[in-house]
Amino acid sequence: MSDAWRRAPNEVDPLSWFSGPLVPIVFGGLAMTFGVAVTLISYWGDPIPWFDWAAAVCLLLGFLAVGLVASPTLKASRLVRTIPPILLGWASFILSLAAHLDGPPLMVEVWWAPIGLAFLIGALAPYASAIRLLAFGSASVVYSAIVIAVVPFSSVGYWPRFSEALIGSGFVLVATAASTVFAYQVVMRIRHWSSTDPGAALSSAVLGESARMDILQRELASIGDRTMPFLRRIAHSGIVTAQDRDHAKLLADEVRGELVERANRSWLDSLAMRMDLTVLDADHHADRMTANQRAALLGLLGAVSENIGDTRSTIVIQLRGEPDGSTAVALSTDVQLPEGRRTTLLAPHYFSLQAAVDGLRWSTGGGLGLQFRLPPKSGKNS
């Protein structure tokens, strides 16, 4: 099955959904306003049954549950996080219908419960995959149609019961179709965009390798600056004294030690010479990264380094091997940036990094931080 069916929009583009809870707040506010208004009008002058108030409370709890789904810190699976809002929406639906068993006649075409359930499914769209929205939405359509067709509620009698079932479930059907298409299109387009822009990644990789070669050339030049004067003096004099032999031995030991130390550096260690970067990578896991992974990480490191400017903050990146052969990577800096500026900084580099690594997560505080995992062996998109 295509990845676009199995991933939620905020999984592939969390930066665009940092406002997270605002989506269920807006949808919930519209649904609750409409529901309360219709309820008050329907029972004008009469006491409102507790079933309708209980239905409104269940619907409100459903939107609050969607707000929890939007939280990036929640560790439960997407499936587990999707079930409670749907169950609360179903409970709200049947409780509202129960209020009309002996109450005033119900006009299905302006009944708030199916519209509230439709808004609830729509609020889940950014946080659930297309396949889950299709499955739970379809189940909600069938559920609402069966409940309307089977429960003997008091209706105005304009429509046959079958038509009322179609009208009531139609709101849910439209929301299901719209949410599924939305989630699929967002994920499909983002994944397509990130996977069909190899030029930027290759360009960054070339720049990164060029930077490393520049560093190595400078270091080798510094070694030459120390050894060449001594060799020229020996060649010019044509005489090698005991003092020259001792000096040559010390110089050789120093150069050998430096060359061995530099040969053991990873590409990140080399870049740390030019950036305010602290690398914790004792086992040289950085050298196992693919070209795309290096390019994506380099672009992000360059952006962060430029934006922290002359502050005293240091970028710390740690790579640690995992038992399954993967590599856990954590990058952090204590620089504090406003939310808007932080999002603007991370957004251009997010897609290429997301396409190259697994489990990418951003910190939700004011500082800059991220964690991701490099798959075993060649990794993703190698």
Side-chain angles (χ1 to χ4, degrees):
M1 182 180 294
S2 171
D3 190 54
W5 284 98
R6 294 182 287 104
R7 303 292 295 275
N10 76 327
E11 283 183 299
V12 298
D13 185 17
L15 292 176
S16 296
W17 304 101
F18 261 102
S19 57
L22 288 180
V23 176
I25 287 174
V26 172
F27 277 68
L30 292 173
M32 294 304 300
T33 300
F34 179 76
V36 171
V38 170
T39 299
L40 293 175
I41 294 173
S42 299
Y43 293 94
W44 188 262
D46 297 325
I48 300 175
W50 70 269
F51 286 108
D52 254 332
W53 290 124
V57 171
C58 278
L59 185 62
L60 177 60
L61 291 176
F63 283 104
L64 292 177
V66 177
L68 291 177
V69 172
S71 172
T73 59
L74 192 62
K75 302 300 183 183
S77 70
R78 295 269 173 186
L79 179 63
V80 172
R81 287 187 276 175
T82 308
I83 292 175
I86 295 296
L87 292 180
L88 287 166
W90 289 8
S92 172
F93 188 92
I94 199 166
L95 283 171
S96 179
L97 190 63
H100 293 274
L101 294 178
D102 298 316
L106 175 65
M107 295 179 63
V108 177
E109 58 268 32
V110 294
W111 183 27
W112 67 267
I115 297 176
L117 181 57
F119 271 110
L120 189 62
I121 293 173
L124 277 169
Y127 318 111
S129 64
I131 191 64
R132 291 195 183 100
L133 288 168
L134 181 62
F136 286 109
S138 299
S140 299
V141 172
V142 174
Y143 169 82
S144 57
I146 291 177
V147 168
I148 294 174
V150 172
V151 176
F153 63 94
S154 174
S155 65
V156 295
Y158 293 157
W159 309 97
R161 187 53 60 93
F162 177 76
S163 298
E164 289 179 332
L166 290 180
I167 294 172
S169 61
F171 299 109
V172 185
L173 177 62
V174 171
T176 298
S179 300
T180 302
V181 171
F182 169 83
Y184 175 82
Q185 287 292 323
V186 168
V187 176
M188 184 269 293
R189 291 177 183 275
I190 289 177
R191 300 295 282 178
H192 177 73
W193 184 88
S194 62
S195 63
T196 55
D197 188 25
L202 291 177
S203 175
S204 295
V206 171
L207 289 175
E209 198 62 28
S210 175
R212 183 184 181 188
M213 291 302 298
D214 183 46
I215 293 171
L216 290 176
Q217 289 172 2
R218 290 185 183 183
E219 292 177 345
L220 290 175
S222 68
I223 293 175
D225 291 342
R226 292 161 55 188
T227 58
M228 290 306 295
F230 173 73
L231 295 176
R232 287 194 187 98
R233 183 172 60 80
I234 296 296
H236 180 72
S237 65
I239 300 174
V240 179
T241 64
Q243 184 179 6
D244 291 334
R245 292 190 183 92
D246 293 337
H247 186 195
K249 185 176 181 303
L250 291 174
L251 193 59
D253 290 340
E254 291 178 7
V255 171
R256 186 186 303 111
E258 288 189 23
L259 290 175
V260 170
E261 188 270 333
R262 289 166 184 173
N264 287 332
R265 290 178 187 170
S266 69
W267 70 279
L268 272 181
D269 292 321
S270 297
L271 289 177
M273 304 286 294
R274 303 186 76 178
M275 298 181 179
D276 191 7
L277 179 65
T278 299
V279 179
L280 305 177
D281 183 21
D283 297 322
H284 296 150
H285 289 285
D287 286 333
R288 305 177 190 177
M289 298 175 69
T290 65
N292 284 345
Q293 290 167 351
R294 294 187 187 194
L297 184 58
L298 175 64
L300 181 66
L301 289 173
V304 174
S305 179
E306 290 176 5
N307 275 266
I308 63 176
D310 297 328
T311 64
R312 298 181 177 230
S313 299
T314 300
I315 308 170
V316 178
I317 182 168
Q318 181 177 10
L319 295 90
R320 184 185 69 251
E322 297 293 319
D324 62 354
S326 63
T327 302
V329 183
L331 182 148
S332 64
T333 179
D334 58 357
V335 64
Q336 300 292 314
L337 293 176
E339 181 68 20
R341 184 182 172 192
R342 184 162 65 101
T343 301
T344 303
L345 165 64
L346 299 179
H349 307 281
Y350 171 78
F351 296 111
S352 56
L353 190 59
Q354 168 69 22
V357 302
D358 288 335
L360 178 60
R361 292 187 294 112
W362 301 99
S363 64
T364 56
L368 291 170
L370 62 88
Q371 300 85 41
F372 58 86
R373 189 175 65 86
L374 304 175
K377 296 182 180 179
S378 61
K380 196 191 290 185
N381 289 356
S382 58

